[in-house]
């Protein structure tokens, strides 16, 4: 069934949605994006997504074409028009349509598009079994804190991981794990969760932000420091977070079993707590 999508102020059937080939998103990947999880018809962590979107836009000197309240309405409208109860809403803003020049156009109107994608976020089969991860080199740029639509390195990395039979690739730089191609990376040793601190080297995950708060409230210690692949292989548990996976156990890294090779208690607890809070919030 055809979805209704949003393009520059209009809700249209997906087959009628059009963006110019001169759009700078298409020619330069000159834009930023957000993906918000939808659980039981509720938008999860929406305010945090909008906060990060505003920051990404500021970093690339792009004005937001609508208010945050209008963005919220667009999201609600997309959910209603597409009967979306569980899944995601993807949205992006680009610098708009102009003749192909590297410098920013003076009078271009930014492009805003958004669409829904159905997914079973709460009960996918791999949440029970856990997933495999393959390590890959981090070949990205120096501003990974900006949620840029330039995702070729991540697509290449995810494909390389997939070809090794893994669900996600953990990108590695100087022996240290930066993050997943589309997720934040964590390891667990004893009762301590370790994840990399925020910097320009990683994206500030919205799910990470909520997870850290929940861990504190649950009296689970979080250590924010970079960790090595060697440490990850020796961990009791590992997991990833993102809007589309929530909290997902990692049971194998580079064909080495992590802990028992089954989702561990800390990861399970964090997944349960995250989903419970999302549903209640
Ligand atoms: N890191 C990268 C590189 C990502 O692409 C994503 C999500 O797409 C994340 C982390 C997780 O971010 P969030 O929890 O906001 O979905």
């Amino acid at each position: 069934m055809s979805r209704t999508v949003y393009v520059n102020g209009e809700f249209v059937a997906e087959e009628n949605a059009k963006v110019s080939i001169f759009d700078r998103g298409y020619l330069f990947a000159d834009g930023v994006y957000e993906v918000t999880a939808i659980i039981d018809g509720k938008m999860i962590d929406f305010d945090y997504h909008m906060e990060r979107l505003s920051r990404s836009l500021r970093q690339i000197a792009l004005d937001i074409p609508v208010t945050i309240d209008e963005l919220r309405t667009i999201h609600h409208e997309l959910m209603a028009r597409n009967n979306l109860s569980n899944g995601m809403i993807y949205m992006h803003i680009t610098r708009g349509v102009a003749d192909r020049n590297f410098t920013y156009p003076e009078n271009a109107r930014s492009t805003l598009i958004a669409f829904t994608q159905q997914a079973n976020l709460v009960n996918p089969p791999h949440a029970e079994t856990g997933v495999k991860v393959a390590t890959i080199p981090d070949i990205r740029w120096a501003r990974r804190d900006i949620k840029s639509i330039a995702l070729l390195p991540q697509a290449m990395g995810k494909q390389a991981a997939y070809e090794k039979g893994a669900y996600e690739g953990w990108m590695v730089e100087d022996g240290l794990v930066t993050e997943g191609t589309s997720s934040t990376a964590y390891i667990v040793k004893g009762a301590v969760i370790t994840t990399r601190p925020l910097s320009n080297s990683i994206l500030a995950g919205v799910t990470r932000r909520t997870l850290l708060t929940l861990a504190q409230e649950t009296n689970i210690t979080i250590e924010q420091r970079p960790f090595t692949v060697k440490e990850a292989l020796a961990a009791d548990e590992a997991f990833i977070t993102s809007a589309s996976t929530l909290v997902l156990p990692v049971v194998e890294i580079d064909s080495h079993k992590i802990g028992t090779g089954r989702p561990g208690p800390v990861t399970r607890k964090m997944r349960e707590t995250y989903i419970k809070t999302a549903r209640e919030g």
Side-chain angles (χ1 to χ4, degrees):
M1 208 185 68
S2 164
R3 276 170 293 191
T4 297
V5 302
Y6 176 91
V7 184
N8 288 331
E10 288 181 49
F11 291 93
V12 293
E14 63 179 69
E15 59 275 17
N16 297 329
K18 288 193 178 63
V19 177
S20 165
I21 63 161
F22 296 106
D23 193 275
R24 286 179 65 96
Y26 188 58
L27 295 180
F28 294 104
D30 185 356
V32 294
Y33 77 108
E34 283 296 330
V35 177
T36 303
I38 310 295
I39 298 178
D40 300 342
K42 264 209 311 237
M43 298 195 291
I44 309 305
D45 294 336
F46 185 74
D47 291 344
Y48 289 172
H49 283 289
M50 292 304 103
E51 220 179 277
R52 185 174 64 189
L53 174 71
S54 302
R55 181 181 182 278
S56 290
L57 287 166
R58 273 199 309 279
Q59 297 302 308
I60 65 166
L62 186 49
D63 282 337
I64 189 162
V66 291
T67 64
I68 300 293
D69 275 347
E70 283 167 317
L71 277 176
R72 192 189 305 275
T73 305
I74 292 165
H75 278 65
H76 278 299
E77 193 65 29
L78 280 174
M79 274 198 283
R81 289 182 187 235
N82 293 287
N83 276 326
L84 183 78
S85 299
N86 288 285
M88 290 154 284
I89 296 184
Y90 172 95
M91 59 146 298
H92 84 205
I93 299 175
T94 75
R95 208 175 304 274
V97 178
D99 269 358
R100 188 175 181 279
N101 261 322
F102 281 75
T103 50
Y104 301 167
E106 278 186 8
N107 299 314
R109 191 170 68 104
S110 47
T111 299
L112 168 59
I113 62 119
F115 58 82
T116 56
Q117 198 154 303
Q118 286 206 357
N120 178 1
L121 300 187
V122 172
N123 294 308
H126 49 253
E128 274 307 304
T129 56
V131 296
K132 297 177 184 177
V133 155
T135 58
I136 50 173
D138 198 333
I139 59 169
R140 297 175 299 160
W141 69 330
R143 289 303 307 276
R144 301 160 190 164
D145 56 310
I146 299 171
K147 196 161 169 67
S148 156
I149 60 172
L151 293 172
L152 185 57
Q154 283 97 313
M156 290 167 69
K158 186 89 90 178
Q159 180 64 21
Y162 172 75
E163 285 172 12
K164 290 180 187 168
Y167 173 91
E168 175 61 303
W170 273 12
M171 297 180 282
V172 178
E173 190 170 60
D174 304 327
L176 300 164
V177 174
T178 51
E179 58 188 329
T181 62
S182 59
S183 60
T184 307
Y186 307 77
I187 56 172
V188 182
K189 194 79 182 166
V192 179
I193 298 176
T194 300
T195 195
R196 198 173 170 115
L198 297 185
S199 70
N200 290 357
S201 300
I202 62 167
L203 182 74
V206 161
T207 320
R208 174 191 187 280
R209 182 171 171 179
T210 298
L211 183 112
L212 295 200
T213 309
L214 294 177
Q216 256 175 4
E217 289 168 9
T218 324
N219 285 326
I220 292 176
T221 308
I222 295 261
E223 211 174 38
Q224 294 189 56
R225 62 167 178 86
F227 59 86
T228 62
V229 175
K230 201 170 157 206
E231 264 183 283
L233 296 177
D236 298 331
E237 299 178 35
F239 64 93
I240 56 174
T241 64
S242 71
S244 55
T245 58
L246 312 180
V247 180
L248 198 59
V250 170
V251 292
E252 224 178 273
I253 300 174
D254 290 342
S255 303
H256 291 265
K257 256 192 209 168
I258 304 304
T260 61
R262 307 253 318 131
V266 176
T267 306
R268 280 181 179 281
K269 172 91 183 150
M270 291 319 302
R271 182 173 174 88
E272 268 169 36
T273 309
Y274 185 85
I275 292 171
K276 187 165 176 281
T277 309
R279 282 185 153 147
E280 287 169 359

